[in-house]
Amino acid sequence: MDPQLRIPPTADEVEQLFAGWREELVTCRKFAPAARNYAAARLAADVGLRMNEARMLDLDDVRWELGRFGKLNVRHGKGSRRRGPKPRLVPLINGADRGLRWFIQDVWGLFDADHTRPGAPLFPSERKCADGSCSRATADVFRQSLAEATERHLPAWAGRLTPHVLRHFCASQLYLAGMSLFAIQELLG
C-alpha cells in the first residue's frame, strides 16, 4: 500500500474559508455556538490542536501570563503507544491569542457558564449538566460545523477539509516560516 501524500489547502484558501465564516457570524441564527465552532477551528489552523484536545480544554487552561502571546495547557494531548494523555504547553502563535481573547471576552459569557467554577469548559455546549453547569461541546459538533462552513466558503475542499487537515495546514505553515521539523513535532504533540 502506497502512503498518500496529504497536501493541505493554501494559506489563501484557508483565509477564504475563515473570512467567509467570519462574515456569516454577523447574521447567523445562533451566534454563540457558531462563534465557538469558528474559534475551535481557528485554533486547529493556527496552532495545530486536535479537536479532542480543544474540546477538553478548560477556561483555566488558557495561561495568558506564559510567554509573549500566552499558552494553552493541553492536558489531554494524544499519547503514543497507549501511554495515556501527553500534556504539553502550546504557545498561542499565528494570531491565536487574538482569536481566543475575542472568544473568551465576547462570546464565552453568552453560554451562561460560571467562569469561577473549576473545570469550566473553554468550549461549552448549549446543553446543561444536571447541576446546571455547562457541559463540553463534542468533537463531532466541531467536525460538522467545519464541514458545513467548507461547503459554503471553500467548495473545492468540500468533503476533504477536516480538523486533521487543518493540523497539516498549521504544520506546513510553520515549516514554511522556518521552524524546524523537531520543533513542529514538539508543538503539535
Side-chain angles (χ1 to χ4, degrees):
M1 181 177 191
D2 291 328
Q4 271 191 311
L5 181 61
R6 292 184 187 169
I7 300 174
T10 65
D12 288 341
E13 289 173 319
V14 169
E15 182 49 39
Q16 177 185 333
L17 167 69
F18 285 113
W21 203 346
R22 255 190 325 270
E23 286 178 24
E24 193 177 285
L25 291 177
V26 176
T27 59
C28 67
R29 188 173 66 86
K30 295 174 100 181
F31 173 74
R36 175 203 59 209
N37 299 342
Y38 170 87
R42 199 71 238 204
L43 270 180
D46 291 341
V47 299
L49 282 188
R50 294 174 180 93
M51 276 300 110
N52 201 49
E53 292 171 340
R55 75 171 217 86
M56 294 303 293
L57 288 170
D58 291 345
L59 194 57
D60 292 339
D61 289 328
V62 181
R63 307 295 303 272
W64 297 115
E65 74 279 5
L66 298 178
R68 184 173 171 195
F69 305 107
K71 294 185 180 184
L72 291 174
N73 181 21
V74 179
R75 294 171 293 112
H76 298 278
K78 183 180 173 188
S80 60
R81 298 185 185 94
R82 295 184 215 142
R83 290 192 184 132
K86 182 179 179 184
R88 69 185 190 282
L89 288 174
V90 176
L92 293 169
I93 56 175
N94 296 328
D97 59 328
R98 292 186 305 274
L100 201 53
R101 198 173 296 275
W102 162 77
F103 174 75
I104 292 169
Q105 290 176 349
D106 297 344
V107 180
W108 194 87
L110 299 175
F111 285 95
D112 197 29
D114 179 6
H115 71 279
T116 62
R117 185 182 135 245
L122 177 60
F123 295 113
S125 171
E126 301 158 280
R127 296 196 171 102
K128 301 287 184 189
C129 296
D131 66 358
S133 63
C134 284
S135 60
R136 294 179 189 284
T138 65
D140 287 339
V141 165
F142 297 125
R143 287 186 188 98
Q144 183 65 34
S145 65
L146 176 61
E148 291 168 359
T150 302
E151 284 180 25
R152 288 188 300 273
H153 306 294
L154 198 60
W157 278 86
R160 299 184 303 142
L161 186 61
T162 64
H164 194 74
V165 172
L166 287 179
R167 215 169 126 73
H168 282 266
F169 167 77
C170 176
S172 298
Q173 293 303 301
L174 294 172
Y175 183 73
L176 290 172
M179 188 179 273
S180 74
L181 290 176
F182 179 75
I184 293 170
Q185 182 182 14
E186 286 296 310
L187 176 75
L188 297 182

